[in-house]
Amino acid sequence: GGICWRASIFLLGSSLLAIGTAGFYNLPGMIEADAGGSRLVNSIYCSTMTLTTVGFGDICPGADMDIIGRAFIVVLSFCGLGMFCGPVMDFASSWTQDVPGGAVGAALTTLALGIGLFTVLEGFTETEAAYFTFVV
């Protein structure tokens, strides 16, 4: 049961990454013309950023992307939501059972970590850090 399920998830994730990479590699305007480096590596990078919904916007999407490219990115992003965010949410829901205080303890721990990271790493005030932890 568990191994077959994990193999299916791995195969689905690998397939989405391969489809995304092929789209970024072959569709015109998907990567900035002056991105530099290997087009294949840039395509893998852009596919990963899109599937994980990080979307830095540094080299992809390109400025001259057409409607087909935009539709491709929308579909790939929605596939990434289910593929990559689903396991994270599953982990998060099981994690709350193991944290002292249950869901409230997990929420307070998460908020404290977010505020702490924003104040230490980004130099935000506690108010700014709380805002970005809650909203963003």
Side-chain angles (χ1 to χ4, degrees), residues 25-111:
Y25 190 86
N26 292 308
L27 292 173
M30 295 295 285
I31 299 174
E32 286 291 341
D34 61 349
S38 164
R39 184 160 180 86
L40 179 60
V41 171
N42 288 341
S43 297
I44 294 169
Y45 167 78
C46 291
S47 180
T48 303
M49 292 301 105
T50 303
L51 283 167
T52 58
T53 68
V54 172
F56 288 131
D58 49 356
I59 63 170
C60 52
D64 57 345
M65 183 176 54
D66 62 8
I67 190 72
I68 294 172
R70 292 180 194 279
F72 176 78
I73 285 181
V74 168
V75 171
L76 190 63
S77 296
F78 279 119
C79 291
L81 282 173
M83 179 61 211
F84 291 97
C85 294
V88 170
M89 295 302 291
D90 184 46
F91 170 75
S93 68
S94 66
W95 180 63
T96 60
Q97 298 166 3
D98 298 332
V99 174
V104 173
L108 292 175
T109 302
T110 303
L111 291 173

